[in-house]
Amino acid sequence: MGSKAGDWAWFVNLNRNDSDGQPQTFATRLKSVGVASTAGTPVTGAVLDANNANQPWLVLGSGTQYHTIQDHAKLKLALDVTPTLRAHYTLASWANTSEGHGKSYLQDANGNTVSSGAININALKTRTQGVLDWELAANQLNYEQDLNRRNAAANVLPGALAGGAGTVVDGGGTGWKSLALKGTWRPQVALSQPGEPAPGSHTVDFGVQQDRYTLSSITSNISGNWMTDAPGSPANAVGGTTTTQAAYAQDSRTLAKDWKTVLGLRLENWAATDGQTTFGPGNVANRSYDSRSESFASPKAALSYQWAADTVLKASLGRAVRFPTVAELYGATSTTNSQYLNDPNLLPEKSWTTELSVEKEWRGAQWRATFFGENTQDALYSQLTFDPTANRNISRVQNIGRIETTGLELAVNAENVLRKGLYLSASITYTDSTIRENAGFVAVPGDTIGRRQPNIPAWRATALASYRWSPQWITSLGLRYSGPQFRTLNNADVNGFTYQGVSEYLVADVRARYQFNK
């Protein structure tokens, strides 16, 4: 609120923000550390997942889930002392109250929350940790109600709040279903030495799965009150279904004392069905699309060699396939200022990726150098361009013929080397990612050939230093750098320091932590 009377002016601003954030940390335990036992409190609620090394672990609860209230008040006064001299006064207050609590997912047989003590997790899986472990997972999500109401383009604020024409988008029926069976088989093989696998010992991971995604979006006109009236005549409708069925297996084997391999294969069948787009009765763009089905085999192989006691060499090669989503195939939409065009003929994205690494311990630190390369065909990219004929922004996902990527990363980790309690880590990465083939274009034919892949900077670097001053005090300093990059396929967005630009950046993170007690 504010006002002006004569030479005096005042302004008052009050603001409150009340938010409940999602968990930032979770309590976990590796499945491998569990033992078969009847001891402990029987509990349910643990969630079986895999960590970033793909090791099975159990999520037991959440931590640092914050409820935050922020209050802000500001008073501004101004006085026109003379026609050319003005005095200002500002008084402001800002308060931030945040409460963070952990939450256990575990419950005993009576439904009571269990947050401490020995537990016995009863989940739908075996826990032999020796011969065969398996897991069956199924989930389903449906949008029972998903309504998005919009006022007509000409009915702008504040008049729109009084009603008037508009549209309502009904996304009910959109959702997905998935079913997966995963297993691990460990043949019983004697150990050559305590804790060391004998040559020929191996672990086999396998699984089958099916994922089914459905899109349903119907836009209807509203001639009365766009905020409350029921849907009227249809304006447009889009929908379809994609289904992926897959089976995979991989064998991790110790060939000899210093040699290990991983060989794997994934078989996939992908199908798109029931695709349709409708834009009002009698529109020539109304279409139903033919069903599609494609099958792929994706192998992978990795080899590691313990060259010396402090040096390991690793090499890997693998293929991955990314299928178009049901929204990319059939989800055409239109708003006041932009339009998204679907493409039911999009091809799956196929990539071959290679890595060569050397890891070495030297002067108390762990050093790593990794050369990587990737060749991607029919890459799926969303591109926004302005269509002067339609006088609006046009966005669509398209296939890029071939993108070639090579790079080198150097990394180091050191702990208690320069000084006890000091932890250091750093990495620097150079990437050359270039569009080599593309039948499409942004402005003129050929304007994307030889251009950099969007969102991939040539240089990136990180550094982190953490020092424990005492058992209670820890301070950390982190740095993250990214060089310039592009968002457009023809690299026309050379000004990164503006709206929708992507500039280079250097970010510093400073953290201090004091632990009063347990």
Side-chain angles (χ1 to χ4, degrees), residues 10 23 25 31 41 65 72 154 167 220 257 273 310 317 319 371 380 383 433 442 455 470 480 485 499 501 511 517-518:
W10 60 272
T25 62
K31 199 176 74 168
T41 303
Q65 184 168 356
H72 174 241
T167 59
S220 302
K257 179 183 178 182
T273 58
D310 58 359
L317 170 68
R319 187 196 199 205
F371 170 81
L380 291 162
Q383 184 68 56
S433 188
V442 178
N455 305 315
S470 70
R480 291 174 286 130
Q485 53 189 284
Y499 174 60
R511 181 173 185 260
N517 51 44
K518 286 187 178 181

Side-chain angles (χ1 to χ4, degrees), residues 75-93:
L75 170 65
K76 297 174 68 175
L77 300 175
L79 172 63
D80 291 330
V81 181
T82 70
T84 59
L85 179 64
R86 169 173 286 188
H88 289 271
Y89 176 78
T90 300
L91 175 66
S93 171

Side-chain angles (χ1 to χ4, degrees), residues 139 141 175-179 210-214 241-244 273-274:
N139 67 71
L141 186 145
W176 65 83
K177 302 176 183 177
S178 69
L179 179 66
Q210 174 174 295
D211 302 311
R212 183 182 180 90
Y213 296 86
T214 300
T241 300
T242 58
T243 304
T244 303
T273 58
D274 304 322

Side-chain angles (χ1 to χ4, degrees), residues 453-471:
Q453 180 179 181
N455 305 315
I456 305 295
W459 290 97
R460 284 176 293 179
T462 65
L464 174 67
S466 179
Y467 185 66
R468 181 181 290 274
W469 301 86
S470 70

Side-chain angles (χ1 to χ4, degrees), residues 32-33 35 157 219 277 304 335 355 359 471 475 478:
S32 59
V33 304
V35 295
L157 291 172
T219 302
T277 56
S304 65
T335 62
E355 279 193 8
E359 299 177 4
T475 58

Side-chain angles (χ1 to χ4, degrees), residues 170-198:
D170 186 354
T174 297
W176 65 83
K177 302 176 183 177
S178 69
L179 179 66
L181 173 64
K182 305 176 183 179
T184 300
W185 177 52
R186 304 177 183 87
Q188 294 291 336
V189 177
L191 300 180
S192 58
Q193 296 181 17
E196 292 188 10

Side-chain angles (χ1 to χ4, degrees), residues 298 318-322 349-353 374-377 379:
S298 300
R319 187 196 199 205
V321 179
R322 200 280 253 187
E349 176 180 303
K350 287 84 65 178
S351 297
W352 280 97
T353 303
E374 184 174 80
N375 193 299
T376 303
Q377 292 183 316

